[in-house]
Amino acid sequence: MGLILLEALLALVILVAIVWWTMFAGRKKGEIVRKDEQPPRK
């Protein structure tokens, strides 16, 4: 039973790593901020 839980946890960690890599890899500061989403300047 413990081995099954360990394997499921490892699969979850791998899934999270793949999702993180595809979303944020190559971006210097994470998410890209679009110009229309920036707060107005005063």
Side-chain angles (χ1 to χ4, degrees):
M1 181 68 177
L3 187 59
I4 294 172
L5 292 175
L6 182 62
E7 185 177 355
L9 179 64
L10 180 61
L12 180 64
V13 168
I14 291 171
L15 176 66
V16 169
I18 290 171
V19 170
W20 179 85
W21 179 261
T22 56
M23 289 179 67
F24 301 112
R27 296 184 183 175
K28 293 181 180 178
K29 295 183 180 178
E31 285 293 323
I32 296 174
V33 178
R34 295 180 6 198
K35 289 184 179 181
D36 59 345
E37 293 179 354
Q38 292 178 350
R41 295 182 184 175
K42 292 184 178 181

